Amino acid sequence: MVRGRKGVWIAGAPLVLAAVLSACGGDDEDDSLTASRVCDGLFSQHAAADALRKLTGASLFADTSADGLPETAKFLESEHRKGVNWSRSSSTLCVVAGEEKRGSFRVQYDIYAPSDVGDTRHPEGAQLYRLGKRASARAGESDLYFECVSPESGGAGARPVRVHGRVDARGNRTTPNTQEFREASLSVLHAASLKVVKEMGCENSGGLSDPLVLEPVA
């Protein structure tokens, strides 16, 4: 999927999301997954599963297809080796679709430009948090920026992989822009990012706290 600057996702996303939603309409409960099992256990930690249920309003989820953890890690490492300043495409780690067409969203990763974390501006209604290099959340979306130093990137002293993770749930028009939902979105993104840094072998967990501590920036 092609991505524009500053996290604007371009053509293709509505079609993919529509396909995901249509796949949720089946009546076979054997295909249903709990929050801790969706996306191959990406949100297996109790707090992350709770945040997922809060964000979507669903307790069971449809199994969906996405790139998955190994492919997302390979994508980020490949983009880094190319020396790109920022990615013009992204890897979809996970697509979450609540049953009965309830809340749905996707988790995506790419390489960010250094200027992205130096910009003190943020979208209207967004709250900044002290997490990683930069983190923000508002109704329907959250973003997390962090750096990964790993053997694949050249180890200590080498240029780190600049990782941008994003939860995009802007299709959920009923998601309120409250602290509770903003932090649920970031909790989901943080849990996914911890799995990414583990898969990539990032030193010091990519600078991400574990357990999660969310400190708003005044």
Side-chain angles (χ1 to χ4, degrees), residues 34 72 74 78 144-145 161 195:
T34 61
T72 292
K74 289 178 183 177
S78 174
L144 176 59
Y145 301 80
V161 184
K195 296 292 179 71

Side-chain angles (χ1 to χ4, degrees), residues 21 57 125 154 176 204:
L21 292 178
N204 192 33

Side-chain angles (χ1 to χ4, degrees), residues 180-202:
E180 183 180 20
F181 279 87
R182 288 193 298 267
E183 295 189 354
S185 179
L186 265 182
S187 295
V188 164
L189 182 54
H190 173 264
S193 298
L194 286 179
K195 296 292 179 71
V196 170
V197 299
K198 183 177 181 179
E199 182 71 20
M200 295 177 68
C202 305

